[in-house]
Amino acid sequence: MKSFWQQYKSSMLLLAGLIFGGIVGVVFGEKATVLQPFGDVFLNIMFVMLVPLVFFSISSAIANMNGMKRLGKIMLSTLLVFFSTALVASIVGYIGISVFNPVKGIDVESVKALMGAPGDAEKITIGERIVNMFTVSDFHLLLSKSSMLPLIVFSILFGTATSMAGKQGEAVVTFLNSANSVMMKMVQLIMYYAPIGLGCYFASVIGTLGAKIIGGYARSFVLYLVIAVLYYIVFFTLYAFIAGGKAGVKIYWKNIATPSITAIATCSSAACIPVNLEYSKKMGVTPDIAETVIPLGANTHKDGSVIGGVLKIAFLYGIFGKEMTSPSAMLTIILGAFLVGAVMGSIPGGGMIAEMLIVNLFGFPLEAVPVIVIISTIIDVPATLLNSSGNNVSAMLVTRIVEGKNWLKDYLKANPV
């Protein structure tokens, strides 16, 4: 019993804090927002850690690689896994909206009145969006959580240059390794406050959004929740099996509780990076792969957002009377959701841009933007669960490709359970 408690103590404490916070949010409603500062303290600490954590984890992992051939294999494998799972997610989402109509019972006019008219979209060319996606104009702009993808690009380049420097870069490699170890220790210290911080934050979220969820959008929320649970249980299990067989399934589900609870409570893939890094390594993922896939996945791997994209597109299709079952409509919705979730998710501020893209891509009026913005709000919790927790099983898949079919056997021999 003692060993069980030691194994699952952090997960159980996080879950207890989450449940208690949810109860407080339901009972006290918007009054529960008085607890939000305690949750914001935890999130702020996690966000402050993101820049140094991402930089040191990625750059140290790449700097320690034996050659550029391995780095190239990791990056190509990562892209293959990310795009493959995103495509599967879009197909699963389409099947869900085909079986269960998300529009029936929705009071669209009241939702429009609640959201108000959409603001003017910032005029920016496709070329400028691509530039802003991967780069910033000055070094200090990298030191912000809103520039995570440019920071990742910089970290990859810095780690690559350090590795290429050979003996002259050994001192930098030592520094990066030491700094990365210190950052991971900081994560452990901060997690002691996690049950309190996350419980307070979740109480505030439930207290604020409860009425909206119970309102006219309940049907869409329930549909998304069913799809999310199905994808979380069935497809993550399938991915874990593909990665490591029965042992892969076992080690994945043994270690996924804490990352999943953190994702549910924070609604932020970025805030989950430290926890995902720690637990993906416990799943047998090699440090260099974990420290490449997890930070990159937090910005670009968004299966939950892809499924949400399907729901939002189908929602507007139903409102404006467009047919969704023809082969051409099916292909358009699947590919459109794939683009919105898998590609636009990597752009800073990509949430609103994604809504604008849906409206423009499918020819809906501009007033439709707030209608799908509120969908994004109410599905945020399960979407973040899929976005964030999916990075762990993706890291396992990448390890399977890079290390070969015996990767998990080798890990379990060196680290017997």
Side-chain angles (χ1 to χ4, degrees):
M1 187 68 181
K2 183 177 181 181
S3 60
F4 176 85
W5 170 250
Q6 292 298 326
Q7 176 71 36
Y8 296 101
K9 178 175 65 175
S10 59
S11 299
M12 293 176 70
L13 289 175
L14 279 175
L15 183 60
L18 190 62
I19 293 174
F20 184 74
I23 293 173
V24 171
V26 171
V27 173
F28 293 97
E30 293 191 3
K31 293 181 180 178
T33 56
V34 70
L35 298 174
Q36 184 167 339
F38 296 97
D40 288 341
V41 167
F42 174 76
L43 289 183
N44 287 344
I45 294 174
M46 296 293 280
F47 284 134
V48 166
M49 286 185 58
L50 281 182
V51 170
L53 179 64
V54 169
F55 171 73
F56 287 123
S57 63
I58 293 179
S59 58
S60 64
I62 294 176
N64 282 286
M65 289 183 184
N66 295 326
M68 293 300 101
K69 184 178 180 180
R70 178 174 174 82
L71 172 60
K73 191 173 183 180
I74 290 175
M75 295 303 295
L76 288 175
S77 301
T78 300
L79 291 176
L80 174 63
V81 169
F82 284 1
F83 278 93
S84 298
T85 58
L87 184 59
V88 170
S90 64
I91 295 173
V92 171
Y94 180 81
I95 294 174
I97 60 99
S98 299
V99 173
F100 193 82
N101 185 358
V103 175
K104 185 178 180 180
I106 300 296
D107 186 353
V108 178
E109 294 304 321
S110 66
V111 174
K112 286 183 178 180
L114 174 66
M115 295 301 298
D120 295 332
E122 181 182 359
K123 294 182 179 179
I124 184 171
T125 66
I126 296 296
E128 289 173 327
R129 286 180 180 174
I130 294 174
V131 170
N132 293 338
M133 186 189 305
F134 294 105
T135 63
V136 291
S137 60
D138 204 340
F139 178 80
H140 75 276
L141 297 175
L142 289 173
L143 308 179
S144 169
K145 67 179 187 293
S146 63
S147 302
M148 292 303 294
L149 196 55
L151 175 64
I152 289 172
V153 172
F154 178 82
S155 301
I156 292 173
L157 292 174
F158 190 89
T160 302
T162 303
S163 180
M164 293 175 65
K167 290 186 177 180
Q168 292 180 324
E170 288 179 354
V172 178
V173 174
T174 301
F175 167 71
L176 292 175
N177 290 338
S178 298
N180 187 44
S181 298
V182 171
M183 293 306 302
M184 295 310 297
K185 290 295 182 183
M186 285 187 65
V187 171
Q188 294 178 9
L189 291 175
I190 293 171
M191 289 307 293
Y192 287 122
Y193 177 67
I196 299 174
L198 296 183
C200 292
Y201 186 83
F202 197 58
S204 177
V205 170
I206 293 299
T208 302
L209 296 181
K212 295 179 182 178
I213 294 175
I214 295 172
Y217 277 80
R219 188 178 178 87
S220 295
F221 174 75
V222 170
L223 170 60
Y224 188 90
L225 190 61
V226 170
I227 297 174
V229 170
L230 174 69
Y231 194 84
Y232 179 81
I233 296 175
V234 176
F235 285 88
F236 284 178
T237 299
L238 175 62
Y239 297 152
F241 181 80
I242 293 172
K246 293 181 179 178
V249 174
K250 182 178 179 181
I251 200 170
Y252 173 75
W253 285 109
K254 179 180 179 181
N255 291 284
I256 197 59
T258 297
S260 297
I261 293 170
T262 305
I264 291 172
T266 63
C267 294
S268 170
S269 295
C272 294
I273 290 176
V275 176
N276 284 344
L277 279 173
E278 178 182 355
Y279 280 86
S280 63
K281 294 173 185 176
K282 292 182 179 180
M283 296 174 189
V285 178
T286 59
D288 57 349
I289 293 177
E291 291 162 5
T292 302
V293 174
I294 297 300
L296 188 61
N299 292 272
T300 60
H301 182 231
K302 298 182 178 293
D303 290 353
S305 297
V306 171
I307 297 174
V310 173
L311 178 62
K312 286 181 279 190
I313 294 168
F315 195 90
L316 294 182
Y317 262 57
I319 289 176
F320 293 100
K322 298 184 70 172
E323 198 268 331
M324 293 187 293
T325 58
S326 67
S328 59
M330 176 183 70
L331 185 62
T332 300
I333 293 174
I334 289 175
L335 293 181
F338 175 84
L339 176 65
V340 169
V343 179
M344 300 304 290
S346 64
I347 301 177
M352 181 60 73
I353 295 177
E355 267 77 55
M356 294 297 300
L357 178 64
I358 289 175
V359 168
N360 293 327
L361 188 63
F362 292 93
F364 297 119
L366 192 61
E367 288 75 16
V369 171
V371 176
I372 51 178
V373 166
I374 197 170
I375 294 179
S376 297
T377 302
I378 63 176
I379 67 171
D380 193 28
V381 173
T384 304
L385 173 64
L386 298 186
N387 290 343
S388 179
S389 298
N391 291 328
N392 293 282
V393 75
S394 293
M396 292 176 65
L397 288 168
V398 173
T399 306
R400 166 65 177 83
I401 297 172
V402 174
E403 299 291 343
K405 63 181 181 180
N406 294 321
W407 69 275
L408 190 53
K409 291 182 180 178
D410 296 337
Y411 173 79
L412 292 176
K413 284 181 181 179
N415 303 273
V417 179

